[in-house]
Amino acid sequence: MTAAPAYTVVVPTVGRACLAACLRALAAADGPGPREVVVVDDRPAPGPGLPLAEAGRLRDRVRTLRTGGRGPAAARNAGWRTATTTWAVFLDDDVQVLPDWSRLLAEDLREAGEDVGGVQGRLRVPLPADRRPTDWERNTKVLEDAAWATADMAYRTDALRDVGGFDERFPRAFREDADLALRALRAGWSLRRGRRVTRHPVRPAAWWVSLPAQRGNADDVLMNRLHGPDWWTRADAPGGRPRRHLVVTAAALAAACCLLARRHRAATACAALWTLGTAEFALARILPGPRTGREIAGMLGTSVLIPPLAVGHRLRGAVLHRHAGLLRGTP
């Protein structure tokens, strides 16, 4: 059997406590270890020291870089561009590789042909066994089926150089991985799924976590600009509810305008449409969940606010990325 290709692990972080568990799991994995572990500190300002000692037997292979809060795409670029290995393996700081991860990774990379630019790990999101999952837990569970998610994704460094790495116009951990994958595929590289498995726990989150998540609608606009409106299908990504959010938001605005114009029947009709749309959205989120008082209250409140927030962020994205054009070779 040929030796496993050398690889560098790149972990972007903003100093979350989960980084310690990530490094511990990586150190405990059986098999050929990474040549280096590059922890990229992307906190906007220096903070408490990172728990690098948790890397255990790999501690002498760990080095850090600082990127000053420029986002995970920039942090990953800073990491892989300093790598001297054939492969760069990206891990998020909130995942934990399984004990056989290094051995299976070596097999994944060894079996990758020269045309293979990336090999994805398989994510497992554990959910509570004693109750139905919350809306936030279900949204995290979707990562198990996500294509090319950089929570655990190995890329050949030649492929990254060929396409220019991650697009740093994506400031969040959202869509930057799909964008990179589509550009790699268009450049002629193939991507495949490996056998290694990584655990992705559901991190604690406030009941309003779905509200700031709506900023990702601006990133969807950039994806549309770069890859065309059918990118959802090619990236195997869920389509979301942009049209429904637009209709519900327009109904609310129309109801207010009609009321100001004293067109009470029209205002009533628009308000009814808004109520029905909001109720449908809230029920779609409540019924699969645990249906506790806290969950129901949170879903009702956020279901009112999400549609206008989503529409607002899409408008912001349209302005911000108005000069972005379709990439050459896009189908």
Side-chain angles (χ1 to χ4, degrees), residues 108 118-123 143-148 191-196 236:
D108 287 344
V119 185
Q120 179 179 0
R122 299 178 183 272
L123 299 178
L143 289 173
E144 290 189 346
D145 300 318
W148 327 127
L191 303 176
R192 58 183 294 269
R193 294 178 184 267
R195 290 191 292 271
R196 66 191 187 278
D236 195 20

Side-chain angles (χ1 to χ4, degrees), residues 203-280:
R203 71 176 188 269
W207 64 267
W208 62 83
V209 65
S210 56
L211 300 182
Q214 300 312 309
R215 291 193 294 260
N217 282 277
D219 302 316
D220 285 345
V221 172
L222 180 56
M223 289 294 290
N224 288 340
R225 298 277 193 185
L226 297 176
H227 301 286
D230 66 337
W231 70 266
W232 305 89
T233 302
R234 288 182 284 120
D236 195 20
R241 301 169 62 107
R243 289 186 178 86
R244 293 189 185 187
H245 289 335
L246 179 59
V247 169
V248 170
T249 303
L253 291 173
C257 291
C258 289
L259 190 60
L260 290 173
R262 299 188 179 184
R263 299 179 61 182
H264 297 293
R265 288 186 180 179
T268 300
C270 291
L273 178 60
W274 172 83
T275 301
L276 287 173
T278 302
E280 181 275 329

